Amino acid sequence: MRESRDRIYQVVRKIPRGKVATYGQIATLAGLKGHARQVGYALHDLPAGSALPWHRVINAQGRVSPRAEPSYVGIQHRLLEAEGVEIGRGDRISFKRFGWKPRK
DNA sequence: TGCTTGACATAAT
DNA sequence: CATTATGCCAAGC
């Protein structure tokens, strides 16, 4: 559904620079609680060249979700590092430091 | 209309 | 800490 997708985009756009959020969080904030997968769907449908910070959206394990194209994972890592997000060993990100805390 | 799939999440092993 | 199993819900076919 495009409406849900728009809502997801709206939330993703709110992620501050240098922070990351999980799909579950995005889904909840978008009012689609429990539809974490739809978030991934929406992002997959996201056209390349979009100004949406999709790279700030990761899974609950603190890692970049493996995509069809492995190359994009590296790109995402680079984008995150460029924003000040440190990626530890095993491509892990500390939510303790870089987790986005949205206000209810 | 019904089965399969998926940029997920959480718990168990 | 890595892998597996199960639950979840919507979109594709």
Side-chain angles (χ1 to χ4, degrees):
Chain A
M1 231 68 177
R2 193 179 61 217
E3 302 194 343
S4 306
R5 201 190 57 182
D6 288 337
R7 254 188 227 137
I8 292 167
Y9 291 166
Q10 191 70 22
V11 176
V12 174
R13 218 175 294 260
K14 284 173 64 180
I15 303 177
R17 185 172 173 278
K19 299 275 184 178
V20 294
T22 67
Y23 292 92
Q25 270 190 313
I26 301 295
T28 303
L29 293 171
L32 300 167
K33 199 155 94 156
H35 303 139
R37 305 185 99 147
Q38 299 322 119
V39 178
Y41 253 12
L43 291 181
H44 184 261
D45 213 6
L46 188 69
S50 180
L52 199 75
W54 57 272
H55 51 270
R56 292 179 196 150
V57 184
I58 59 181
N59 57 23
Q61 307 197 354
R63 295 194 230 147
V64 180
S65 295
R67 230 172 120 302
E69 289 291 319
S71 324
Y72 275 65
V73 179
I75 295 174
Q76 184 165 358
H77 282 191
R78 205 155 62 127
L79 287 169
L80 288 173
E81 288 180 332
E83 295 188 348
V85 177
E86 293 180 24
I87 301 176
R89 221 155 151 239
D91 303 334
R92 231 177 248 295
I93 300 174
S94 297
F95 277 100
K96 277 297 200 190
R97 297 186 288 177
F98 306 109
W100 177 40
K101 285 120 179 132
R103 58 169 76 98
K104 296 189 293 283

